[in-house]
Amino acid sequence: MKPDFEKGGGLLSVILQDYRTHRVLMNGFMNEESYQKTLDEGVVWFYSRSKERLWKKGETSGHVQVVKEMALDCDQDALLIQVDPQGPTCHLGTASCFGDSAFNLQTLEKIVAQKVDNPKEGSYTAYLTEEGTDKILKKCGEEMTEVVIAAKNDDRQELIDETGDLVYHLLVLLSSQGVSLRDIEEKLKGRHGENLSYKVRGEIKEW
């Protein structure tokens, strides 16, 4: 990976993206020195155009951006960095400089993981985790049955509602077992080279 700093007058446009939720967090700029420091230290460094100096994201707040993956665009003059943010990214205290309105499965996964790792009294997620795997599996089974019933009844709204409940309980199960959506995405990504196949009773079948 070799960025082309000349196109931007010595600077590279950089987008930070949460590696779990895929939410865009902020845009900044790097020169060659801040790019190299990012590679060396594994946390994001920028170049401030207004202050004309290097700065580590989170150097004051402590909310550093831990690098997970980096990718250049096709012209080699823009960089996408997937990060694990150690706190709010925006100086206004929000997760993203573009606001906090976005929500997806990765957002829910992150919320569930936080509740599993830091249980609080009154939290249903904490209750399930404390009860253990058998309780979580029982709930997953019950919700799957509700999904089947809704589908058999051709009840679209009920199907959406029950699937939402099932997905939540599955995320609790995965988090309690140390498995992430990212792990599953990587597994599915690996199968792309197998002509998008899946296994049924040990036999490879095409999707």
Side-chain angles (χ1 to χ4, degrees):
M1 187 168 70
K2 188 175 181 180
D4 187 344
F5 288 96
E6 292 185 5
K7 288 183 180 179
L11 297 178
L12 196 68
S13 177
V14 180
I15 291 288
L16 299 191
Q17 181 183 43
D18 190 310
Y19 88 106
R20 292 191 185 93
T21 67
H22 304 307
R23 178 186 296 181
V24 173
L25 301 176
M26 67 168 290
N27 172 240
F29 293 88
M30 288 182 179
N31 61 6
E32 291 192 57
E33 187 177 359
S34 57
Y35 172 73
Q36 190 59 51
K37 286 182 75 68
T38 298
L39 292 179
D40 293 342
E41 299 185 13
V43 295
V44 176
W45 282 78
F46 287 116
Y47 176 78
S48 172
R49 295 172 297 171
S50 58
K51 297 179 181 179
E52 298 184 340
R53 69 169 180 87
L54 302 185
W55 63 286
K56 180 170 71 173
K57 180 61 182 171
E59 62 186 7
T60 302
S61 66
H63 301 157
V64 297
Q65 308 287 306
V66 179
V67 176
K68 291 295 184 178
E69 292 185 19
M70 300 173 69
L72 282 170
D73 76 338
C74 56
D75 292 323
Q76 314 293 303
D77 59 358
L79 183 65
L80 174 66
I81 305 181
Q82 295 194 36
V83 297
D84 182 8
Q86 305 301 294
T89 300
C90 183
H91 72 285
L92 297 178
T94 57
S96 168
C97 292
F98 299 97
D100 278 342
S101 60
F103 182 87
N104 53 29
L105 286 181
Q106 286 78 15
T107 304
L108 179 58
E109 178 190 37
K110 193 170 185 178
I111 293 171
V112 167
Q114 289 172 344
K115 291 182 178 293
V116 169
D117 294 339
N118 303 286
K120 294 182 179 179
E121 186 176 352
S123 166
Y124 178 61
T125 303
Y127 161 73
L128 288 174
T129 305
E130 289 169 3
E131 288 293 305
T133 302
D134 286 347
K135 180 66 173 181
I136 301 171
L137 291 173
K138 182 174 181 290
K139 290 302 297 181
C140 286
E142 290 173 357
E143 297 302 340
M144 187 66 242
T145 299
E146 295 295 333
V147 168
V148 170
I149 292 172
K152 289 289 287 182
N153 291 338
D154 289 326
D155 189 329
R156 183 177 183 275
Q157 188 56 54
E158 188 69 11
L159 179 59
I160 293 171
D161 292 344
E162 297 300 341
T163 300
D165 290 343
L166 174 60
V167 168
Y168 159 75
H169 285 90
L170 281 174
L171 287 176
V172 175
L173 175 64
L174 292 176
S175 183
S176 69
Q177 296 289 312
V179 177
S180 69
L181 288 177
R182 186 77 172 186
D183 295 328
I184 297 170
E185 287 174 351
E186 287 300 315
K187 181 63 177 179
L188 294 175
K189 180 180 177 181
R191 289 178 180 174
H192 183 73
E194 300 174 13
N195 199 25
L196 290 179
S197 60
Y198 67 102
K199 285 185 178 180
V200 176
R201 297 185 180 91
E203 181 182 353
I204 298 293
K205 295 183 179 293
E206 185 177 338
W207 280 355

